[in-house]
Amino acid sequence: MFLALKEMSRAKTRFGLLVAAIALLVFLILFQQSLQNGLITGFVGAIRNQNAPVLVYSVDGQRVIQGSIITPDLEAEVRDVDGLGTVGRLGQGTFTATSTTSSGDSLDATILGYELGDDGQGLGAPSELVDGRYPSGELEAVGSTGGDDAFAVGDTVVLQPGGFEIEIVGVADDIQLNVSPTLFVSYSTWSDAVQSVNPDAGEPLPNVMVAAPAEGVTADQLVTDINDRSLDLDALTRDDAASETPGVAQVQQSFQLIFLLYGLVVPCVTGLFFLIVTLQKADALTLLRAIGAPAKRLVASLLIQVVLMIGGGLVIGTALYFPLTVTGLGGLELRFETGAVLFWSILLLTLGVASSLVAARRVLRIDPIEATTGAGVGA
Amino acid sequence: MNALELTDVRKVYTMGDGSDVVALDRSNLTVAEDEIIALVGPSGSGKTTLCSMAGGILSPTEGRIVVAGEDISDYGDKELTKFRQESIGFVFQSVNLVPFLNAKENLTVVDELGARTGKEAQRRADDLLGELGLGDRKQNMPSQLSGGQRQRVAIGRALMNDPKLVLFDEPTSSLDTELGEQVMELIRTEMKRRGTAAIVVTHDERITEFCDRSVHIVDGRLES
Ligand SMILES: Nc1ncnc2c1ncn2[C@@H]1O[C@H](COP(=O)(O)OP(=O)(O)OP(=O)(O)O)[C@@H](O)[C@H]1O
Ligand SMILES: [Mg+2]
């Protein structure tokens, strides 16, 4: 401890720069981790955070809710599957709307219609509300929070053209679809809404079926049963439906590549830094070995420094990241990801220590005899 | 008990091309408990090699080395490290101070690496720096000290562990004559005050006046 701390206190700029570099990288990592999660939640939060364990698309919908259409024949097939517990319809549409909160500016809203059931929590309903209540009838909606177009209980949303009005009676976090403000309404309200902007269209067909397995049947089993039933049906569990939505995997892959780069840069920076520092102070280390410092003590001192530097970078990086998760970023809501902070802390500490083993090896290789000639390990 | 007994000590370096360099040939040397010996010889004669073996930095190819009754001839790496830490004081030919530690810390680091007596080491470092005339330079970094002051800090460092034997490898080579003599005077005073044995390596015959006895070395052979 003595040597490690003394050295750092005598070379504050040098060690400070390393902490700053690590802090910056940690900040970028955490920020992008939140960005990734924020983006994906914005894309498919409505799928993830609704209560139906299984979603059934038509095959030609290619796993996009809006592209999928369930004809009455397909619906009959689904309803006939063994192992099915409950089932309902889900309709989706995108509308131009004005809201009382957005001061007259028009917004593109997504509306999802599900069968309310007795308590407004039928299959396809948001899993959890943060304010208000579930719809109990027509023209009522649960709205999404987050972004500039967050809804609040009491808002009225007016669809254009036609002036169809929906009132927000509850709000839920993370229920956006396609990164647009999203409303969950009753199936018939959705159907009416579609016809209000396009009176000639007639009654729309549901886009997907939402289903829950019967008692004793797992969601996976139900998915298999439905898919075996018809080649035109494409059943997916809730999680799969979210992750298989076109675009989600690509976003995840791009971010994973970025994270991989960070995962390499941080240990490289730390490893190189400590290797250079070790080479520069080779004379001092040789002298210490010659006057009786066990090699292990010198390596321990190096590792203490590595852990302190990375630890400092993690603390400062996290402190920089925290305020962003409070304010959010434009239309995206960024969350403080405790899991990500822990994951990256452990990963970066481990990689940092591993990368400094190159420097540690130099320390272990020091031959104290070199103190008598003045040639250190760097020579 | 003698501070050092070398019996038939030999050191041979095998070079890359297979040829042997005999750095020290079958040497016998006894240093009494509180004796100060001058080891005089031309460059390359084996002075540093002899001191390195006596101080447990280098293992002999042959022969026995006994320091204050402790036979270190067959010691391994770890045992030698501990032996250096506890029993030997070194002042090297070139690098002697840790650049990122101040004068006092260059002394207390000896305690940090070993016994860790804390307060006692602080007091001891203060006393030593006082005796060496560095009472007002304790907080100075090595780069803020003159050559003579640095050499005195190194002497203090060598005495911190209360060694059985102190090895000075050309302690005055980087100093002018007057300063060199002052440092030698200091070495003599400190050694005699403690009754500690020392070997002082030098080219310079004048330095030998400060020692009890001179031993000459030529081409790895000791001549008394
Ligand atoms: N590591 C080594 N490998 C090979 N030969 C060595 C090694 N160290 C020393 N020698 C050789 O051993 C001999 C004695 O070297 P040593 O350093 O003991 O001399 P010295 O008397 O201290 O010289 P100086 O007064 O220049 O310091 C020299 O010929 C030197 O070249
Ligand atoms: Mg020498």
Side-chain angles (χ1 to χ4, degrees):
Chain A
M1 252 341 213
F2 174 80
L3 279 173
L5 296 183
K6 287 291 176 198
E7 187 191 357
M8 291 196 301
S9 74
R10 300 275 152 70
K12 288 196 189 76
T13 320
R14 169 186 292 204
F15 285 93
L17 280 174
L18 178 66
V19 173
I22 296 175
L24 185 67
L25 287 165
V26 167
F27 167 75
L28 287 173
I29 290 172
L30 294 176
F31 169 65
Q32 298 198 25
Q33 182 90 57
S34 280
L35 194 63
Q36 173 194 281
N37 292 350
L39 266 177
I40 291 177
T41 304
F43 256 124
V44 295
I47 299 176
R48 263 194 201 152
N49 296 311
Q50 55 78 37
N51 63 9
V54 173
L55 285 84
V56 189
Y57 298 72
S58 66
V59 165
D60 48 13
Q62 297 184 334
R63 299 179 173 176
V64 179
I65 293 182
Q66 199 154 15
S68 162
I69 289 175
I70 303 291
T71 59
D73 286 352
L74 286 178
E75 181 171 345
E77 295 269 17
V78 174
R79 289 187 186 276
D80 206 27
V81 169
D82 293 337
L84 188 72
T86 45
V87 67
R89 298 161 155 193
L90 190 77
Q92 189 229 329
T94 312
F95 299 82
T96 305
T98 51
S99 147
T100 44
T101 45
S102 61
S103 61
D105 286 349
S106 71
L107 48 90
D108 287 322
T110 296
I111 296 183
L112 287 159
Y114 68 100
E115 296 178 34
L116 294 186
D118 299 335
D119 50 2
Q121 297 188 55
L123 283 178
S127 323
E128 209 179 305
L129 301 188
V130 288
D131 192 17
R133 59 172 174 81
Y134 284 93
S136 59
E138 301 308 296
L139 307 181
E140 291 184 343
V142 172
S144 58
T145 61
D148 298 334
D149 296 319
F151 293 112
V153 173
D155 287 354
T156 303
V157 179
V158 185
L159 304 188
Q160 305 296 343
F164 190 87
E165 289 192 11
I166 300 171
E167 194 198 342
I168 307 291
V169 296
V171 289
D173 283 340
D174 299 338
I175 54 158
Q176 289 191 347
L177 195 67
N178 299 330
V179 205
S180 61
T182 301
L183 300 174
F184 279 73
V185 299
S186 74
Y187 188 79
S188 47
T189 301
W190 166 74
S191 177
D192 292 347
V194 172
Q195 293 175 78
S196 80
V197 294
N198 192 355
D200 308 328
E203 190 175 339
L205 289 172
N207 294 97
V208 300
M209 299 301 289
V210 279
E215 235 177 75
V217 179
T218 65
D220 286 327
Q221 259 173 302
L222 179 59
V223 164
T224 316
D225 288 349
I226 296 174
N227 287 333
D228 287 349
R229 176 84 188 196
S230 163
L231 285 175
D232 294 326
L233 291 175
D234 186 9
L236 293 164
T237 60
R238 179 168 45 213
D239 285 347
D240 287 348
S243 60
E244 305 266 325
T245 299
V248 169
Q250 284 84 341
V251 168
Q252 265 166 339
Q253 266 171 19
S254 312
F255 275 100
Q256 247 136 37
L257 195 69
I258 294 173
F259 291 140
L260 179 73
L261 288 179
Y262 283 128
L264 292 174
V265 168
V266 174
C268 281
V269 167
T270 335
L272 264 178
F273 175 88
F274 281 99
L275 185 58
I276 292 171
V277 168
T278 302
L279 292 178
Q280 280 182 343
K281 63 177 184 200
D283 283 352
L285 293 174
T286 311
L287 173 70
L288 287 165
R289 285 285 285 120
I291 64 171
K296 272 191 207 150
R297 284 290 287 278
L298 300 182
V299 171
S301 162
L302 169 78
L303 293 183
I304 287 170
Q305 288 181 343
V306 173
V307 170
L308 287 177
M309 292 294 102
I310 297 181
L314 283 167
V315 169
I316 297 173
T318 308
L320 289 174
Y321 154 76
F322 177 71
L324 258 188
T325 62
V326 177
T327 60
L329 190 76
L332 266 185
E333 204 175 353
L334 300 181
R335 290 280 156 74
F336 186 86
E337 311 266 354
T338 315
V341 172
L342 283 178
F343 171 81
W344 283 101
S345 299
I346 293 168
L347 187 72
L348 294 183
L349 276 172
T350 314
L351 290 178
V353 168
S355 72
S356 62
L357 292 182
V358 183
R361 222 167 64 115
R362 297 299 290 213
V363 174
L364 286 173
R365 282 225 222 112
I366 292 172
D367 188 344
I369 188 64
E370 281 158 0
T372 63
T373 58
V377 276
Chain B
M1 199 194 317
N2 287 325
L4 176 67
E5 286 167 18
L6 301 184
T7 316
D8 289 334
V9 173
R10 203 171 130 85
K11 181 70 195 180
V12 181
Y13 288 108
T14 305
M15 303 309 289
D17 59 5
S19 64
D20 284 351
V21 175
V22 181
L24 193 70
D25 205 8
R26 298 200 186 288
S27 301
N28 292 285
L29 177 67
T30 303
V31 180
E33 198 171 356
D34 59 350
E35 199 176 17
I36 303 177
I37 291 220
L39 184 59
V40 190
S43 182
S45 56
K47 305 182 294 294
T48 299
T49 304
L50 187 149
C51 284
S52 302
M53 288 192 289
I57 294 187
L58 193 62
S59 297
T61 313
E62 284 172 38
R64 282 167 52 78
I65 301 174
V66 179
V67 178
E70 188 176 358
D71 187 343
I72 63 164
S73 322
D74 301 320
Y75 273 13
D77 228 27
K78 277 197 184 131
E79 291 162 308
L80 284 176
T81 300
K82 194 160 155 41
F83 163 75
R84 292 198 298 272
Q85 189 188 92
E86 288 171 355
S87 308
I88 295 293
F90 273 115
V91 175
F92 297 102
Q93 220 166 337
S94 50
V95 181
N96 264 306
L97 301 181
V98 179
F100 54 80
L101 298 180
N102 67 27
K104 185 172 170 185
E105 288 159 358
N106 261 287
L107 268 63
T108 51
V109 71
V110 173
D111 179 63
E112 287 290 337
L113 297 173
R116 296 223 200 174
T117 57
K119 278 227 173 70
E120 200 186 310
Q122 299 286 331
R123 202 173 323 119
R124 190 169 166 78
D126 285 335
D127 290 350
L128 276 167
L129 289 170
E131 285 170 26
L132 294 162
L134 293 167
D136 54 349
R137 288 279 179 275
K138 287 179 207 169
Q139 306 304 324
N140 287 38
M141 301 305 288
S143 58
Q144 300 166 327
L145 295 170
S146 72
Q149 287 169 335
R150 277 203 285 265
Q151 208 64 343
R152 281 186 274 158
V153 175
I155 293 168
R157 202 264 332 283
L159 294 174
M160 260 307 274
N161 57 346
D162 200 9
K164 311 280 193 310
L165 175 68
V166 187
L167 303 160
F168 296 92
D169 198 350
E170 313 216 16
T172 61
S173 61
S174 60
L175 308 175
D176 62 35
T177 316
E178 195 184 337
L179 208 53
E181 287 181 2
Q182 278 175 23
V183 167
M184 274 315 297
E185 185 63 54
L186 198 60
I187 289 177
R188 184 170 175 87
T189 317
E190 292 296 328
M191 293 302 116
K192 290 301 171 194
R193 185 201 308 239
R194 294 183 162 69
T196 304
I199 298 179
V200 181
V201 170
T202 182
H203 291 100
D204 187 346
E205 288 290 344
R206 273 173 305 174
I207 297 297
T208 59
E209 292 165 25
F210 297 91
C211 301
D212 301 325
R213 172 160 74 98
S214 293
V215 174
H216 290 262
I217 181 168
V218 179
D219 283 343
R221 264 176 247 270
L222 286 178
E223 306 168 349
S224 4

